[in-house]
Amino acid sequence: MSEVKASETTSSSTVQHVDIAVVGAGFAGLYLLHRLRQAGFAAQALEAADDVGGTWYWNRYPGARCDIQTTDYSFTFDPALEAAWQWSEKYATQPEILRYLGFVADRYDLRRDIRFGTRVTAARWNEATQRWLLTTSAGPSVSCRCYVMASGCLSEPKPPEIDGVADFAGDVYVTGRWPHAGVDFTGKRVAVIGTGSSGIQAIPLIAQQAAHLTVFQRTPNFAFPAHNGPQPAERVAPLAQDLAGYRTQARMSLAGVPLERATEFSWQLSDAERRQRFERALAAGDLVAMLTQLWADQGGDLDGNALASDLLREYVRSVVKDPTTAEALTPHDHPFGSKRPCLETGYYATFNRPNVDLVNLRQEPIEAITAAGIRTSRRTVDVDAIVFATGFDAMTGAILAVHPITGRGGRSIDTVWANGPQTYLGLTVAGFPNLFLITGPGSPSVLSNMAVSIEQHVDWVVDRLIDMRAAGFSTMEATEAAQAGWTRHLADCTALSLHRLANTWYTGANVPGKARGVMPYTGGVGPYRTICDDVVNRGMLGFRLSGPNGAGQCNDGEIVRLQPDVRMVLGMLAELNLPPIESMGAAGARGFLAQLNATRPPGRPVGEVVDGTLDGAAGPLAYRLYRPATPGPHPIVVYYHGGGWVLGDAQSDDPFCRDLCRRSNMIVVSVDYRHAPEHRFPAAPEDGYAALRWVADHAAALGGRPGPLLVAGWSAGGNIAAVTCQLARDRGGPAIAGQLLVCPVTDGTSERPSYSDNATGYFLTRSLMYWFWDLYCAPADRSDPRVSPLLGRLDGLPPAFVVTAEFDPLRDEGIAYAEALGAAGVPVEQLQAHGQFHSSFTMVDVIATAVGGREKMAQALQRFAGIDESGALPRAAE
Ligand code: FAD
Ligand code: NAP
């Protein structure tokens, strides 16, 4: 499939024929050219600029630097290249990074395959020839088999969207298109519009030159000091000691920088400890450190995030002397990290200078630009020059600027993306064969160290082209199902992050009329890499490959169906290579569970935890009571733990009980019941019922509100809870207001598809369930409704909330129970949780995607208890 680059003249125009066309000659385009050439492909790069560099060619504004440390923001594909280049600073300046990219281009002799000053203006897939035809602004069009857009996520500046720019009599500059000769602002009155990373870098230096600087700020950003200087020893030393290990760690990390994420939660740290961590991150002057190393809940939980945001706001006030200006510079409209934070070098201190003013556009919006300057709703500011630091049409801007890009059937990509970009892996688009996007929407891209993400994408694409060539295929194309699955996975990941809560260029909110939605992949660089590798290892899952003479292959499907955190937890468990629990014997399995529980996050504080003893059916049983921090009395939930009637105790679901207590604002009494094999059926349900009676009899003493109890249980505990409701109905009470059944066992007599769909691999396996059953009761007992509540009489039972998980052998019997309850006239609600596994809901502070489900459980309990949504009782914040 490799072919010699050639030009041929057609009747209407000149067309250059190549294997692969690459658009862009920044980090991505350069590495692509190198790899393609090494692999023997004829490749041509097309670049609108006059030289290499991309971002670093265009953004020459004063103060432009990287904000990922240069040890990390470099190519890593060639150790010899790494040895040949020395960065002078922790954060290199734009000229140095541009020199570096020029050095790379020279070292691998890349410029000879780049057509500079050439913009690709349109691209059309030709079904007949199975090739793309690229229209260009200069020189011949390009016919290519593969079209790779390395056109940049932040390369298309967005228009300023302010009336009157053309009327302005002074000089106008755009940070992303800065004049090569530089600009001298000496003696000038200058306006800067925009306070994102570009503005925050440029403002201090412009202020030093200008006679007067007026900064027009619409939204303040979080920023903290870069502490630029020599490269810090703590980065350089490990790199020097183990280059390969350091780079591997970066590739498998969250953000492409080898820093471990904090594991302690904010609520496990004292104020002093939190402050200490913050001060450490502040002193480090590192974006990724500040974003990941404070506490585990800073990025996904509003409360944890607010603690970090407050400390950053305090920092602003400590630098800016005028309180009104300080307040205006302090962000309040978005969680820290949901918008890209900035590293600053003298930015806040600049506002202490006598020649600098801040105009808060939230109080006085710009009305127009006039010949003399800028008119807001309150005043006119006359200036000699305006600098637009107003940002980019990010992620999709450069792609859609090639117009049209038409794929199969003449469909244009802007039509396909009308409601936001759709991709498979952020690399390909269904209906657009052999189109590849480097760091496209749906990949980690701008939420990572781009150098790492670019290399990963380039390697993946070129490796696939090599594989295709070896297998005799010439085209590859994502399937619609794979793309839809990826879109869902993106949404699952996005739900875990706070990016969705801010109006930013990540979400398209900075460009009027642009479709909204978080565009980059928020699941992290390492997990993303493993997914891309999985696609290949699973036979190019989600791709249709075809070749000459009708050769073809399509392995359709979705690459990630689990929730992202479930996938991660199951991956970690798989790596432990544990023996099956059922092979450990009951005592061994109990020890294993205790060990496992000792390593989990401890659960959040509640008002009070009390251990006690109650009367079971055949003797005393332990219980643990969780009381809310709010004034009582509270409704009481009697809770039955999971563990297959064999494992666990009143404390083994401790984090889940704490969570239920906090969210529902109810007392949760987690009760023991006797376990098999020592005490086989009917010990467990008889104890379950006895415990309910005891709690009802002692409700007032326990601090309970008068009235019916509620019951809840997970797994085998869900089975006990369901059975207890039936026994309470049949044995004359006590009254139960509602039942919460989480992944319950309801039927021991039959197997449904979920038993075979999820037979292996999701922790609760089919063989583990068989083992539990065998220990618990004889086959003949399984038709007893106290074993299989689904086989019991279901009318007259309390309202139910039944939770099932997609990847759980017990899924279908839970659904069957809910449906049967409904058919028997019992008010029932179901939560069929997609992408979750059997343990998801009890793994509090581990499986964050289960938070929403637990919130719904708490709401259901409140409804059962007659507490209205207006919050007669305050609920714990999520
Ligand atoms: P780019 O460097 O944007 O190159 C794309 C090239 O494609 C451009 O030269 C453009 O002219 C060309 N092009 C686009 N469309 C066409 C077309 N139709 N025809 C022909 N040519 C076209 N990321 C980090 O990880 N760390 C940082 O510290 C960092 N700092 C940044 C600072 C600034 C000021 C900006 C704007 C971005 C920064 N980024 C940073 C993101 C940065 O864009 C990437 O790190 C990286 O440089 C992107 O490389 P690229 O090759 O993918 O795209
Ligand atoms: P940006 O973050 O989008 O910031 C643009 C700024 O302009 C915002 O303050 C925005 O306000 C304001 N703005 C836009 N349109 C406006 C209008 N019509 N009127 C008034 N104000 C307006 O863009 P950026 O600063 O160029 O940075 C973009 C990204 O590039 C960064 O997030 C970063 O990833 C990268 N970058 C990195 C560095 C670095 O330090 N290495 C430097 C520069 C850029 P609103 O917020 O209200 O929209």
Side-chain angles (χ1 to χ4, degrees), residues 23-29 46-49 51 53-59 61 64-68 73 101 118-121 149-156 177 198 201 340 392 398 401-402 438-439 445-446 448-451 454:
V23 182
F27 263 92
L46 301 138
E47 168 57 64
D51 200 356
T55 289
W56 304 103
Y57 171 94
W58 296 108
N59 290 268
Y61 60 85
R65 291 175 186 273
C66 55
D67 59 4
I68 296 287
Y73 189 57
L101 292 171
T118 306
R119 181 166 287 281
V120 174
T121 52
M149 297 202 76
S151 46
C153 294
L154 294 159
S155 57
E156 191 71 21
R177 291 288 180 268
S198 302
Q201 284 185 331
R340 188 168 180 109
F392 300 88
V402 177
I438 302 300
T439 63
S445 59
V446 289
S448 68
N449 169 6
M450 288 284 274
I454 285 170

Side-chain angles (χ1 to χ4, degrees), residues 146-187:
C146 298
Y147 165 37
V148 191
M149 297 202 76
S151 46
C153 294
L154 294 159
S155 57
E156 191 71 21
K158 78 173 184 101
E161 300 132 10
I162 301 173
D163 286 344
V165 180
D167 301 336
F168 182 57
D171 299 323
V172 172
Y173 304 101
V174 176
T175 48
R177 291 288 180 268
W178 204 257
H180 288 203
V183 181
D184 185 1
F185 289 112
T186 308

Side-chain angles (χ1 to χ4, degrees), residues 22 27-39 41 74-79 82 148 150 247-248 251 425 427 436-439 450-469 476 528-529 532-533 536 540:
V22 171
F27 263 92
L30 292 177
Y31 182 44
L32 259 168
L33 265 188
H34 172 61
R35 282 257 12 229
L36 288 167
R37 198 190 275 167
Q38 269 189 328
F41 293 106
S74 309
F75 282 123
T76 68
F77 63 86
D78 181 355
E82 296 211 51
V148 191
R247 295 305 188 204
T248 302
R251 289 177 191 129
L425 306 171
L427 274 160
F436 300 96
L437 310 174
I438 302 300
T439 63
M450 288 284 274
V452 165
S453 289
I454 285 170
E455 282 189 347
Q456 187 252 336
H457 263 196
V458 168
D459 287 337
W460 195 91
V461 169
V462 178
D463 290 345
R464 298 298 69 73
L465 297 179
I466 293 170
D467 292 348
M468 276 209 290
R469 181 174 58 189
M476 66 181 268
Y528 174 80
R529 177 182 292 266
C532 291
D533 292 347
V536 180
M540 290 300 284

Side-chain angles (χ1 to χ4, degrees), residues 793-819:
R793 188 166 65 80
L794 299 180
D795 60 290
L797 289 173
F801 189 80
V802 182
V803 181
T804 52
E806 186 179 4
F807 295 98
D808 181 359
L810 306 182
R811 177 193 67 207
D812 293 345
E813 64 192 80
I815 294 172
Y817 194 61
E819 286 172 355

Side-chain angles (χ1 to χ4, degrees), residues 7 14 31 53 246 429 457 519 525 539 554 612-613 652 718 766 774 837 867:
S7 291
T14 305
Y31 182 44
Y246 184 99
V429 185
H457 263 196
M519 291 184 283
V525 163
C554 181
T613 306
S652 57
R766 179 168 61 185
D774 289 344
F837 79 129
I867 299 168

Side-chain angles (χ1 to χ4, degrees), residues 600-604 606 626 639-642 651-663 668 712-715 740-742 803 839-845 850 853-855 857-858 861:
R600 68 188 171 183
R604 302 196 187 198
V606 294
Y626 302 85
Y639 177 80
Y640 302 99
H641 66 84
Q651 304 184 14
S652 57
D653 294 344
D654 186 81
F656 183 45
C657 291
R658 287 171 183 273
D659 194 80
L660 274 184
C661 167
R662 286 168 58 89
R663 287 182 197 279
V668 175
W714 166 57
S715 190
L740 167 64
L741 309 178
V742 184
V803 181
S839 305
S840 287
F841 293 101
T842 54
M843 296 185 79
V844 178
D845 291 318
R854 286 200 306 272
E855 184 63 16
M857 294 178 205
L861 289 171

